[in-house]
Amino acid sequence: MQERLFETYKRFYFLGIGGIGMSALARYFYRNGYVVAGYDKTPSPLTDALQAEGIRVSFEESILDMPIEYRPAEPETLVIITPAVPEDHEELEYFRAHGHDIMKRSEVLAHLCEGRCTIAVAGTHGKTSTAALMAHLMKSAGVDFHAFLGGISVNYQDNYIASHKGDAFKYIIVEADEYDRSFLRLHPDVAIITSIEADHLDIYGTLEALESAFDEFAGQVKPKGRIIVESDYAHKLSHPDKTLSYSIDSESNIKAENFRIENHSYVFDYTEQGKAPIKDIRLGIPGRHNTENCIAAIAAVRGFINNDESIRQAAASFKGVSRRFEVIYQDDTHLYVDDYAHHPTEIAATIRTLKELYPDRRIHGIFQPHLFSRTRDLATGFAESLSMLDAAWLLDIYPARELPMDGVTSELIYDKINVPHHKGIISKEEAIQRISEQLPELLLTIGAGDIDRLVQPIREIYEAKVLQAKKEAEAI
């Protein structure tokens, strides 16, 4: 099938092209000489970027809005869809009626992995940061690879990173998404499992079913491959002959020893059983969870790089992923951080990092819950994590692919939050107003929905307020 993708198809049409995973694939095909276009429901910075590169994107669910070359029923066209696209979508119905080949994004990604050494990152959180760091390690060392990320690498301002153009590459880095059991299409050479926690219960029903799927994914690692799993979850896998555990704090095969914070940076020694350690690694982004992601990434690619100094330098120069603990504004007295966290454990890790780095500052947080089902299933966990804040504001739930559920609102979380200062459920407009009035000394925006649309307005508030304060001080 891999050869057919390159030799038979000339055109690719993406339904849901603005999705982070879909856009990475669209960029891959477009940059390798294929005709690429697609549809998405609403414009976004990502669709703006695709259009700037030359990829045509339409926002009307209309056959007439599609580029003319996609309307004939020709076998050279492959249609790629995501689970978020409804079955009665007008363009999808058209393609089906006219006999176009249609594949899910996960199927295409699996076919691209065939015949290549595949490094796959799975986990209910931590996938994108770990995959992006592996890509940076490989790129810095000059290794031949292509990587498909679920976020925008700050180092490269891209979610598709490659050593060169073309389909002749040896290594491929992918995120193994548990949603819709997509990761079960993969048979990697190396698998990282960062976490196995309750999520996507609308798909799996129970945590036990989710854990079983992760174990099945681990079982699909090739016979001579490796499974690198965070130590808290190693006991959930039934493949001890291929499994290595990693952690900071507990006994494991791979560890970050001599862990410390120096000048707001996290520094550690990488140690792995049977191998020489890599001393004094200084990670370019903060967080204990990112330190764990880093040692997993090193363990996965060290054998392909075989240059410890390159690894040390790449870790120090790694700038992370957009919306993963991304510092949007900072001066001597104010800090604004934006984060994609949409699971209780992710939120807790982000807040914990801020408390470690800035123990004397009061943290204000704005959280937008993502999905009705996730809010219903994890409301208590969200409330516990958000209670680590000093003040908490909640936006309404971002529905994404879901329809509203009776009784499921942000109040499920809000009613359980216990913070020392104020809390409230507010609109985006009210959030902007309150930030303008209060200008928190440390602000955190959190969520996987469209809360990112607040980032630029909030940045401008801080820039304007601080500039005004400086002018007033100079005038005295």
Side-chain angles (χ1 to χ4, degrees), residues 37 53 90 97 143 168 173 197 261 275 308 373 378 380 406 476:
E53 292 178 34
E90 181 178 334
V143 177
I173 296 171
E197 297 191 27
I261 299 174
K275 295 186 178 181
D308 290 349
S373 59
L378 305 178
T380 299
D406 289 341
I476 296 174

Side-chain angles (χ1 to χ4, degrees), residues 159-358:
N159 55 345
Y160 163 58
I161 304 169
S163 55
H164 64 276
K165 289 185 177 181
D167 62 326
F169 54 95
K170 183 176 181 181
Y171 300 102
I172 183 168
I173 296 171
V174 299
E175 294 186 32
D177 189 0
E178 73 278 6
Y179 177 73
D180 200 30
R181 295 181 169 84
S182 294
F183 62 171
L184 298 182
R185 298 184 185 278
L186 299 173
H187 296 267
D189 297 83
V190 180
I192 296 174
I193 298 178
T194 62
S195 52
I196 309 174
E197 297 191 27
D199 200 3
H200 300 304
L201 298 186
D202 55 322
I203 299 294
Y204 291 95
T206 64
L207 174 59
E208 291 73 21
L210 176 67
E211 291 172 344
S212 178
F214 271 94
D215 190 43
E216 185 178 351
F217 165 73
Q220 294 180 178
V221 171
K222 293 174 184 174
K224 294 183 180 180
R226 293 202 301 171
I227 305 163
I228 301 166
V229 59
E230 207 282 338
S231 61
D232 288 343
Y233 310 101
H235 68 282
K236 298 182 182 295
L237 306 181
S238 57
H239 315 280
D241 55 321
K242 293 187 286 187
T243 299
L244 296 172
S245 62
Y246 70 91
S247 71
I248 295 179
D249 300 319
S250 63
E251 290 299 317
S252 55
N253 306 113
I254 304 160
K255 289 186 280 189
E257 295 190 328
N258 194 21
F259 176 80
R260 68 266 191 202
I261 299 174
E262 297 178 356
N263 297 322
H264 298 304
S265 294
Y266 287 64
V267 186
F268 60 95
D269 301 333
Y270 172 87
T271 63
E272 181 178 349
Q273 289 180 353
K275 295 186 178 181
I278 307 176
K279 296 279 190 177
D280 300 323
I281 294 175
R282 182 178 296 271
L283 185 58
I285 57 174
R288 291 174 179 267
H289 59 297
N290 283 319
T291 300
E292 287 204 332
N293 293 340
C294 183
I295 60 177
I298 292 172
V301 304
R302 190 182 187 188
F304 310 136
I305 294 175
N306 200 29
N307 183 333
D308 290 349
E309 183 56 32
S310 172
I311 290 173
R312 187 183 289 107
Q313 292 177 7
S317 64
F318 181 59
K319 298 179 181 178
V321 178
S322 177
R323 301 211 64 230
R324 270 68 169 186
F325 204 94
E326 184 175 5
V327 176
I328 305 298
Y329 179 85
Q330 185 172 18
D331 59 33
D332 293 339
T333 56
H334 296 88
L335 175 68
Y336 168 36
V337 173
D338 180 52
D339 199 281
Y340 185 75
H342 54 285
H343 185 280
T345 302
E346 295 171 333
I347 295 171
T350 299
I351 298 173
R352 191 176 298 114
T353 298
L354 286 171
K355 286 180 175 291
E356 283 185 342
L357 295 176
Y358 305 95

Side-chain angles (χ1 to χ4, degrees), residues 398-419:
Y398 183 78
R401 58 185 175 268
E402 293 184 338
L403 296 174
M405 296 180 178
D406 289 341
V408 180
T409 69
S410 292
E411 290 188 4
L412 285 180
I413 301 171
Y414 174 81
D415 290 341
K416 298 180 177 68
I417 292 176
N418 181 20
V419 292

